[in-house]
Amino acid sequence: MKSIKLYIILLFGLLTGCFKDEGNYSYEEINPPLWVEAFNDNAPKYMTGYAGENEMMKFRGSRMFTWEADSAMRAEEVRYEWKLGDVVLSEELDFDMPTDEVVKKIGLTRYSNDEGIWGTFSVIEKNTGITFPARLYVFIYPQFANNDWYILSENNDKSKVSVISPRVVVEAGKMVTNYKLKEDAYKAINGQDVPGRPIDLVMETSRDVSASGACVILTDQVAYEVNIENMQKVSEVKNQFLDGTPTDFNVVAMREKAPGSPDSGEGSASFIVTKDGRLFTRMRSANYLVGKYLTEPYYIDEKGYKITKLGHSNYALNIPCYDEKNRRIVMATTWREDVGEDQYNKTPVYKTRLVPLKSSKSVPVDNFAEGTEILYLSQKNHISWGFSGTTILYTVYYNDPNYAGTLVGDFGFENRNATFKYVGQERWYMLPVKLDASSVFLVSSNNRSGATADAAKYRDFYSVGNELHFIQRAKAWSDKSKRIVKFNATFPSKITALAYSFFNLDQLWVGCEDGTICAYDIKNIESPVLLFKKNVGGKVASIKQMGWHTVNHDWF
């Protein structure tokens, strides 16, 4: 057996010499700035800016710190540095800079709605170079940002698009919201008018155009697609067809069925209706890089069709349509087909389709009476019992020649099997007034919780001239009662447009024939509060709010 010898050499003298403290130290007081808050990675200083002409960003270092003592002398001993990313913006303590100049300096090419830019504001000692940094997190929004409103209105025999931008500012020490009107913004940006009389503004998810998507300005002459963030025209719908523009192409309505989930591989589906009732479709890829409208109109069945209404729906759900030729409701939707050589190597392919409803109970969805006028179609969410999973509730407002008042009917649709679905809690009743094609409707189909969002599920607005009314439904699933209530506000002329603030549905926007736009806080629907009143100088045809949506939101 081998033995192991350990030799331990203790260099005691050398070690103690190394650790000997001669006491040759000098100390200097740092005197750092006293930050008014903890500006770190978890709690940075938040700042915002909006791009566009005359938009400024305010950088105020003096509000971020104080000195413990000798503030005047200390200020002479330091300098300042503002950085976004790796770019130094300024060495001033306080300064203003046009947002467009900030964007240019940092090389920002694409705006984000949910991610900011990290930076620092630093106080630096001139003599020593000691740096005291505070973390910044800066959101720079496009010229037209989430929560801004697009307004389409008449401009003599042409159209114009204006924008109303809510901006939170400090006045007399209080945070208040100002509503900034940028009238005729399209012409100011593109240098030309929009030809034709206004019809509608159509929101598109098109992420290839911008992070916020696109908007189609629809008139009786053109359908212009614009970047929603800066309103620059990027295309015309007539040029987005696979094999050339269809003959006699005159668009009167458009709707998009947005993709339900970014992980599913499904893209957006778009539906176009022309003046003669033809319907054209487009299915885009999930990355928005491919997908054009088919030049041939959609074929439903041997009966033919004439589509005269595209209804309202949630962001990613079916769009109810009316086929006037056959007096029936059809659903514009999408379906998935798995294609491939065998069951183990298949690729999901999404396609558009239109499904006629073929049976009816309280609402004659497959055979309305001859002479019926369909006024409005919408997805709805005011009956919870029996309507869950893939069964979806819809509402139709229509004039049947056999009844004195406008009829309101609820019906179900089974999305998975693409069939009409009868559920025993459907409603059908008559309004005490006969509405006509000039009436404007506002219905929410949201599937969200929250006081104002929940309240909107049980309320439908409709206009009669310059008066606004709403149907107040009961919330109990077994209660079929309702009230007709006049909205507590007066309007200077005929109501021509209605809109919700889509996220919380806590604001109601009303557009009028004389160009007046009013916005109300409707947290208490019985006592609305006027937020502002402006005029865009011509009949208001459409009001749409920008912003991110989910499948639970209305796709206004």
Side-chain angles (χ1 to χ4, degrees), residues 69-294:
D70 302 323
S71 58
M73 182 180 70
R74 192 66 173 132
E76 293 294 325
E77 298 172 347
V78 299
R79 63 183 182 88
Y80 310 100
E81 185 179 82
W82 294 84
K83 293 178 71 174
L84 281 186
D86 296 325
V87 178
V88 177
L89 292 181
S90 176
E91 294 187 352
E92 298 180 61
L93 176 61
D94 297 329
F95 69 99
D96 295 346
M97 183 176 288
T99 309
D100 287 351
E101 185 178 338
V102 175
V103 168
K104 185 177 180 180
K105 279 180 174 285
I106 65 176
L108 184 64
T109 57
R110 189 174 177 88
Y111 298 96
S112 173
N113 291 294
D114 54 0
E115 291 186 5
I117 304 163
W118 283 102
T120 55
F121 165 66
S122 298
V123 180
I124 306 171
E125 283 192 339
K126 295 176 182 177
N127 292 335
T128 66
I130 295 175
T131 301
F132 307 98
R135 291 288 264 164
L136 309 174
Y137 198 53
V138 182
F139 292 92
I140 299 181
Y141 298 109
Q143 182 174 0
F144 306 120
N146 286 353
N147 301 321
D148 285 3
W149 296 79
Y150 270 35
I151 314 293
L152 177 65
S153 60
E154 281 190 359
N155 185 22
N156 296 319
D157 59 345
K158 296 183 280 293
S159 299
K160 67 180 180 182
V161 182
S162 305
V163 179
I164 295 178
S165 301
R167 295 291 182 261
V168 178
V169 298
V170 178
E171 292 183 356
K174 294 183 179 181
M175 304 288 284
V176 297
T177 300
N178 285 344
Y179 293 86
K180 183 178 181 181
L181 171 62
K182 302 172 184 177
E183 191 172 349
D184 207 359
Y186 179 89
K187 183 176 182 180
I189 292 165
N190 294 278
Q192 61 181 21
D193 290 308
V194 181
R197 295 189 178 276
I199 296 177
D200 198 8
L201 293 169
V202 183
M203 294 299 182
E204 296 183 319
T205 52
S206 305
R207 307 296 185 221
D208 54 322
V209 175
S210 78
S212 300
C215 178
V216 174
I217 304 169
L218 183 59
T219 76
D220 62 4
Q221 293 184 25
V222 300
Y224 287 168
E225 185 180 57
V226 299
N227 181 328
I228 203 170
E229 294 183 343
N230 56 27
M231 211 183 288
Q232 292 179 0
K233 178 184 171 184
V234 295
S235 180
E236 294 190 43
V237 172
K238 69 179 182 180
N239 299 326
Q240 296 175 349
F241 282 79
L242 185 63
D243 298 313
T245 309
T247 57
D248 300 322
F249 186 66
N250 190 344
V251 185
V252 295
M254 292 181 65
R255 290 285 296 174
E256 181 191 81
K257 179 187 178 296
S261 170
D263 300 325
S264 67
E266 180 182 5
S268 62
S270 297
F271 300 87
I272 289 176
V273 172
T274 56
K275 190 174 183 179
D276 56 9
R278 291 175 295 165
L279 187 139
F280 298 87
T281 67
R282 171 177 71 179
M283 192 77 225
R284 303 200 69 184
S285 65
N287 57 13
Y288 297 92
L289 295 180
V290 296
K292 290 192 173 184
Y293 288 101
L294 299 178

Side-chain angles (χ1 to χ4, degrees), residues 8 14 22 24 41 45 80 96 120 125 148 191 193 251 266 298 311 336 351 442 498 518 524:
I8 302 174
L14 290 175
E22 299 291 340
N24 295 324
D41 287 358
K45 170 69 174 179
Y80 310 100
D96 295 346
T120 55
E125 283 192 339
D148 285 3
D193 290 308
V251 185
E266 180 182 5
Y298 192 93
R336 191 183 80 178
K351 299 180 180 180
L442 181 61
L498 294 171
C518 303
N524 180 352

Side-chain angles (χ1 to χ4, degrees), residues 433-441 462-469 486 489-498 510-514 539:
V433 62
K434 193 128 186 176
L435 306 175
D436 58 32
S438 68
S439 293
V440 184
F441 299 84
Y462 64 87
S463 68
V464 181
N466 66 341
E467 292 185 354
L468 185 61
H469 302 260
K486 185 176 181 297
T490 58
F491 302 98
S493 62
K494 186 177 181 179
I495 295 169
T496 53
L498 294 171
V510 183
C512 299
E513 196 168 44
D514 69 345
K539 176 185 174 181

